Amino acid sequence: MTKLSVNINKIATLRNSRGGDTPNLLKVAKDIQIFGGEGITIHPRPDERHIKYQDAYDLKPIVDTEYNIEGNPISKFVDLVLAVKPTQVTLVPDAVDAITSNAGWDTKKNRDFLIDVISEFKRNDIRTSIFVDPVTDMIEGAAETGTDRIELYTEEFASEYAKGNKNSIQPYAQCSQLAINLGLGINAGHDLSLDNIQFFKENIPGLLEVSIGHALISESIYLGLENVINMYLHRLK
């Protein structure tokens, strides 16, 4: 079964645009879980332009499903994760000024750094996942870091699928099978949507979790949050 973790960064962006507390991030997180969402994802960035570091602490008692914190493991982020102790930390090699995540780790080049960071999280009983492109060398490199899971960066699949190119799933399926063979769990995220999620799920062996934010929140503007969450769950199951 593939779990749906809802990224609530866009809710925080909307809240911050007026400088107040509407929409209330904690209430939205509660409602997402009531509506059937199986996890909450946040991705704080150093400038706190959407999720604020304090949000990570405030959400901890609210999330009773799975709590996933994503980000670049700079020292401030590492300290935050160790203090909050979420279910999972997903390591993403974001530049400081990145609008959104746009590449996976070079797991070969950054092997020693990732080993050090991952071992610290695992000593604190936090499941680890690292963001990777669908490249077999990067999957093999990920297995050498000691991570529990990988998160496949799915922007290229989503872009090609929208053009009608269903063959774009092939490197993801190949890398997923390799990950399984290497003992890694498989997550996925970035530009997955109601249009492509079922096809992706049906073709990726061992898919444990998808993290979806931008598309899900955008679709909810038209269709309603509860309805959209259940539409995703139907496609995933």
Side-chain angles (χ1 to χ4, degrees):
M1 184 178 295
T2 304
K3 290 186 176 181
L4 171 66
S5 187
V6 179
N7 186 316
I8 56 175
N9 278 23
K10 283 296 182 292
I11 301 299
T13 301
L14 185 58
R15 174 199 63 187
N16 296 352
S17 69
R18 290 290 295 268
D21 195 32
T22 302
N24 183 279
L25 193 75
L26 304 186
K27 184 179 187 308
V28 172
K30 286 180 181 178
D31 288 343
I32 285 169
Q33 295 171 102
I34 290 169
F35 298 156
E38 296 154 314
I40 298 294
T41 291
I42 60 171
H43 189 145
R45 287 184 165 86
D47 62 6
E48 299 187 292
R49 64 181 181 268
H50 34 63
I51 291 293
K52 300 182 182 299
Y53 271 52
Q54 184 59 45
D55 291 330
Y57 293 96
D58 295 343
L59 283 161
K60 179 62 184 292
I62 301 300
V63 181
D64 55 19
T65 53
E66 287 211 349
Y67 191 12
N68 175 44
I69 301 181
E70 300 180 343
N72 192 332
I74 59 174
S75 58
K76 183 179 178 182
F77 177 85
V78 171
D79 290 344
L80 172 74
V81 173
L82 292 175
V84 174
K85 292 189 184 301
T87 316
Q88 175 176 269
V89 57
T90 301
L91 308 181
V92 184
D94 283 336
V96 172
D97 58 350
I99 295 175
T100 186
S101 305
N102 55 20
W105 286 96
D106 184 330
T107 56
K108 300 288 190 177
K109 180 179 178 180
N110 296 284
R111 176 180 178 273
D112 292 343
F113 172 72
L114 289 168
I115 287 173
D116 288 344
V117 174
I118 288 167
S119 62
E120 180 66 18
F121 289 136
K122 294 183 75 171
R123 276 196 295 270
N124 285 270
D125 297 320
I126 302 168
R127 188 174 74 222
T128 59
S129 178
I130 54 177
F131 200 58
V132 292
D133 296 310
V135 178
T136 55
D137 282 353
M138 297 301 101
I139 308 302
E140 291 169 351
E144 297 173 1
T145 67
T147 190
D148 300 299
R149 297 185 182 185
I150 56 168
E151 179 174 326
L152 292 170
Y153 173 38
T154 52
E155 181 179 11
E156 183 175 359
F157 158 74
S159 176
E160 290 299 312
Y161 184 86
K163 300 172 185 175
N165 178 16
K166 293 186 177 181
N167 288 332
S168 61
I169 196 69
Q170 291 180 1
Y172 294 88
Q174 180 184 4
C175 285
S176 296
Q177 188 58 59
L178 175 60
I180 291 170
N181 295 344
L182 293 171
L184 297 172
I186 302 160
N187 298 341
H190 205 89
D191 287 350
L192 295 175
S193 69
L194 285 174
D195 290 336
N196 60 38
I197 189 64
Q198 185 169 349
F199 180 82
F200 188 82
K201 152 73 175 177
E202 290 172 348
N203 287 276
I204 299 300
L207 183 62
L208 297 173
E209 176 185 295
V210 291
S211 175
I212 304 177
H214 183 80
L216 188 151
I217 299 304
S218 298
E219 291 156 347
S220 297
I221 292 173
Y222 291 95
L223 302 172
L225 185 58
E226 181 175 10
N227 188 36
V228 166
I229 286 173
N230 281 279
M231 291 169 76
Y232 273 98
L233 294 173
H234 177 74
R235 285 162 169 78
L236 287 168
K237 295 174 181 174

